[in-house]
Every structure is written in structure tokens, then in C-alpha cells.
Amino acid sequence: QCSARIPEARAILDLLEKCPEHQKKGEFPVIVLEGLDATGKTTVAGSVKDALNAVLLRSPPACISQWRAIFDEEPAPIRRAFYAAGNYILASEIARASTQAPVIIDRYWHSTAAYTIATEIKGKVQDLPPAHDEVYQWPEDLLKPDLVLLLTVDPEERARRLRHRGLEKTKEEAELESNSLFRQRVEESYRRMENPACQEVDASPSKEETVETVLRLIKHHCGL
């Protein structure tokens, strides 16, 4: 319905239609790194990719990421539809890449779900849907990763890193900073995700220590 007003929406739908209905993972492991901005996801993902000779993919995928700024300015339902569609397009890339090498993903479905839940449910953490609710379950028709690692740092350290980066904030990042309840809802939503659940990694230490911890978990869980 929004393609008449947002021409880019038609292009995204065309890409979606070309994706096979059921994506199958290759023989190599698929690992997702999740977390709020400034928790070190992108830096750690790059280092892990190099260490494992892996393929690095991101959500939203490169083929639609140039339109991210456009959809970030839209109302929440349209914005979420963009990210959800991106996950299914990304699944096609994961399916292909995982036949050749391990795959590291900088955010995937858990991010889309956590931010959607935190946006739609106002109030405190206790106002979120209860643990084990279906909103925390991985979609049955979406290619599933082997391991999801949630990088966390304390709020003060994250704020310090954001100031150091000096990058322009998205609407949601600005809300994470200004609205502690929103941040708490996002973090708790991540923690309630199931099938697969997120394994938390304290990313407060140095980059080298965090990468070492992540690699150890991947090698233990995926047998690399």
C-alpha cells in the first residue's frame, strides 16, 4: 500500500518475491551478533570474521541498506516492515554464503523483534508480554542461525562510547539514550528471545578480550 508513496518499497517487494519460500542453511555455522549501538558489535564482527575466514553479512542487507534512512523516517509499522523484509532477503544471502564458509551476521531477526516489542509496549519492563510468549519465538519460515550472542555493556560505558564515536543518532538510538525505560524494554526483550535464545557476552572489557570470549563460545557451540 505504501509503494505509491515510497517508490523504494516496490523494489524491496520485488526482491522479496525472488527469495525462495523456504531457505536452507548450508553446512557451515551461522552466528549472529546482537546488541544495542556502541556495544561493539560491528568491531567484534569484523575481527571474528577475519579469525574464522568467515563471510560477514549485516541487517538490513547491502542490497536495501541504501534506503534505510528513508524508512527510518516513516511511522513505526512501515519502518518495522522494512526491517522484517530485510531479514527474509538476508536469509537468501545467508543460505548461499553458508555453503562456502562460516557466516557472521551483524544483527538479524532478534533486533527487529526486540525493538518492535519495546516500541509497541509502553511502560515498564513488567508490562512486556510474559516470558515464553509467542512474540519471543523465532519465525518458523525464517532461516535460523546456529548461535546468537548478545553483546552488553553498562549504560554509562555505552554512553561514553557513543560520545566518543560522535555519529549522528537514529531516532531509536536517541530514544535509547533519553528514555531508560525504552532501553530496559529492548534489553529485556532480547533476553526473553527463544529458539534460539541469546547468549549474553559482557563486552565491557577490551575489544581483544571480547573477541576472545566470542571466539571461544563459537568454537565450543559450533565445533570450529
Side-chain angles (χ1 to χ4, degrees), residues 62-114:
C63 59
I64 66 170
S65 60
Q66 70 269 28
W67 301 319
R68 182 176 182 175
I70 294 170
F71 285 90
D72 277 347
E73 294 301 316
E74 293 295 325
I78 296 176
R79 192 165 66 243
R80 291 296 153 226
F82 167 76
Y83 286 101
N87 287 329
Y88 284 87
I89 295 169
L90 178 61
S92 290
E93 298 182 8
I94 298 167
R96 287 193 299 272
S98 61
T99 64
Q100 305 294 324
V103 179
I104 308 299
I105 310 170
D106 186 344
R107 286 189 171 175
Y108 193 18
W109 179 81
H110 281 346
S111 280
T112 307

Side-chain angles (χ1 to χ4, degrees), residues 32-49 56 58 104-107 115 149-154 157-162 165 167 173 201-212 214:
V32 181
L33 295 180
E34 293 281 6
L36 305 183
D37 282 357
T39 54
K41 285 188 321 304
T42 302
T43 302
V44 171
S47 297
V48 171
K49 172 224 176 226
L56 176 58
R58 292 185 172 88
I104 308 299
I105 310 170
D106 186 344
R107 286 189 171 175
Y115 279 86
L149 300 176
L150 175 64
L151 303 190
T152 61
V153 297
D154 66 70
E157 170 63 12
R158 203 178 68 84
R160 187 194 66 76
R161 292 182 184 184
L162 281 168
R165 277 165 47 170
L167 300 178
E173 181 53 45
V201 175
D202 181 6
S204 301
S206 68
K207 182 194 84 171
E208 290 76 17
E209 290 177 88
T210 303
V211 169
E212 186 178 324
V214 167

Side-chain angles (χ1 to χ4, degrees), residues 135-175:
V135 299
Y136 303 117
Q137 304 295 322
W138 191 271
E140 291 184 2
D141 61 346
L142 182 63
L143 186 150
K144 189 183 296 184
D146 295 285
L147 180 64
V148 181
L149 300 176
L150 175 64
L151 303 190
T152 61
V153 297
D154 66 70
E156 292 77 14
E157 170 63 12
R158 203 178 68 84
R160 187 194 66 76
R161 292 182 184 184
L162 281 168
R163 288 194 298 272
H164 182 70
R165 277 165 47 170
L167 300 178
E168 185 177 348
K169 301 182 185 71
T170 63
K171 282 184 176 179
E172 284 173 341
E173 181 53 45
E175 187 167 2

Side-chain angles (χ1 to χ4, degrees), residues 181-199:
L181 287 178
F182 178 68
R183 184 178 67 246
Q184 290 166 21
R185 293 197 303 271
V186 172
E187 291 176 331
E188 182 59 27
S189 295
Y190 270 127
R191 293 186 176 107
R192 294 186 185 185
M193 295 297 167
E194 294 182 334
N195 192 30
C198 296
Q199 290 193 36

